[in-house]
Amino acid sequence: QVQLVESGGGLVQPGGSLRLSCAASGFTLQYYAINWFRQAPGKEREKISCLYPTDGDTYYADSVKGRFAISRDYAKNTVYLQMNSLKPEDTAVYYCAAVGPVGPHYCSAYGGENRAMDYWGKGILVTVSS
């Protein structure tokens, strides 16, 4: 059974950091693009990052570029989202999602598009507040 499980959320002060994890089971990351989305209260869901593990291709939305970093651990079949310099406007439920199999450079080619995902996690809350 395919599953994506997010962890690592919580409450953090402005300027702080958190690392979210997305643990995949039932499939291997190698040929799937792993995406992070977020949805703030009263706002539409926003795609913020994408990683194609096979070639390390990435995408970041302008809202997080330079502050967030996506990475993977093949041994753990897990993708991470390191979030630094957090702001109150980063408060949202964060979801990871997978689409695949896809080819090289998927994220840089399609990362900014709202494409259908094959698998979704249940989401995890990140609250940035003093």
Side-chain angles (χ1 to χ4, degrees):
Q1 183 181 1
V2 172
Q3 272 193 315
L4 294 172
V5 179
E6 302 95 339
S7 62
L11 174 64
V12 63
Q13 292 187 341
S17 298
L18 278 177
R19 188 179 77 161
L20 302 183
S21 300
C22 174
S25 60
F27 72 103
T28 56
L29 296 175
Q30 189 172 6
Y31 297 113
Y32 283 75
I34 306 300
N35 302 263
W36 284 97
F37 293 78
R38 68 184 181 186
Q39 188 164 20
K43 294 190 177 181
E44 292 187 354
R45 188 174 61 197
E46 174 191 17
K47 183 192 286 188
I48 57 172
S49 190
C50 175
L51 170 69
Y52 184 56
T54 298
D55 63 4
D57 186 42
T58 59
Y59 160 83
Y60 296 96
D62 288 343
S63 57
V64 305
K65 197 173 295 182
R67 299 188 298 124
F68 290 13
I70 192 169
S71 62
R72 84 277 197 188
D73 183 330
Y74 278 131
K76 296 182 178 180
N77 216 35
T78 297
V79 171
Y80 303 99
L81 186 69
Q82 178 67 43
M83 307 187 295
N84 300 324
S85 302
L86 284 162
K87 307 174 183 179
E89 51 264 43
D90 293 318
T91 295
V93 177
Y94 285 71
Y95 302 87
C96 66
V99 58
V102 297
H105 313 302
Y106 174 91
C107 291
S108 53
Y110 305 114
E113 298 181 7
N114 187 21
R115 293 196 159 207
M117 298 288 113
D118 293 314
Y119 308 115
W120 286 88
K122 293 183 177 180
I124 193 161
L125 178 63
V126 171
T127 303
V128 184
S129 175
S130 55

